[in-house]
């Protein structure tokens, strides 16, 4: 084993490898955070898109039912009026 006091290169290599390790951990953490932000961004866009499409579908169904209900009601009134006119002749 080499004594660090006698060989100053040992301490330099230790510091260099420690710095490389710290830089690697920071780089991997930065990459992980960037990927997480990207995935969460995509997830948010998907959720908002699904909510908009779902809300549009619900509004479309409600509008369609309202139109059909009015038509049905109008036909019932016309049928009742026709029946009433036939009875009162």
């Amino acid at each position: 084993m080499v004594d660090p006091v006698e060989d100053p290169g040992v301490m330099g290599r230790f510091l260099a490898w420690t710095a490389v390790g710290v830089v690697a951990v920071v780089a991997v953490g930065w990459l992980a955070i960037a990927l997480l932000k990207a995935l969460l961004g995509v997830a948010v866009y998907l959720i908002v898109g699904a909510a908009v499409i779902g809300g549009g579908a619900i509004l479309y169904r409600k509008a369609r039912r309202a139109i059909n209900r009015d038509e049905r009601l109008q036909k019932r009134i016309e049928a009742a009026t026709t029946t009433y006119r036939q009875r009162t002749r």
Side-chain angles (χ1 to χ4, degrees):
M1 179 116 170
V2 178
D3 188 17
V5 175
E6 293 176 7
D7 188 9
V10 172
M11 185 58 71
R13 283 192 302 269
F14 171 75
L15 289 176
W17 280 109
T18 303
V20 167
V22 169
V23 169
V25 167
V26 169
V28 168
W30 176 79
L31 182 64
I33 289 173
L35 287 173
L36 185 63
K37 281 184 181 180
L39 290 174
L40 286 176
V42 169
V44 167
Y45 283 123
L46 287 173
I47 290 169
V48 169
V52 168
I53 290 172
I58 289 170
L59 290 175
Y60 172 75
R61 271 189 246 128
K62 284 188 175 189
R64 190 171 171 197
R65 284 183 187 162
I67 291 169
N68 286 341
R69 188 178 313 129
D70 291 342
E71 288 177 7
R72 193 169 49 238
L73 181 62
Q74 184 63 33
K75 287 180 181 179
R76 288 177 61 193
I77 291 171
E78 289 172 3
T81 304
T82 305
T83 304
Y84 178 75
R85 285 184 188 153
Q86 288 175 355
R87 287 185 186 169
T88 58
R89 283 188 182 176

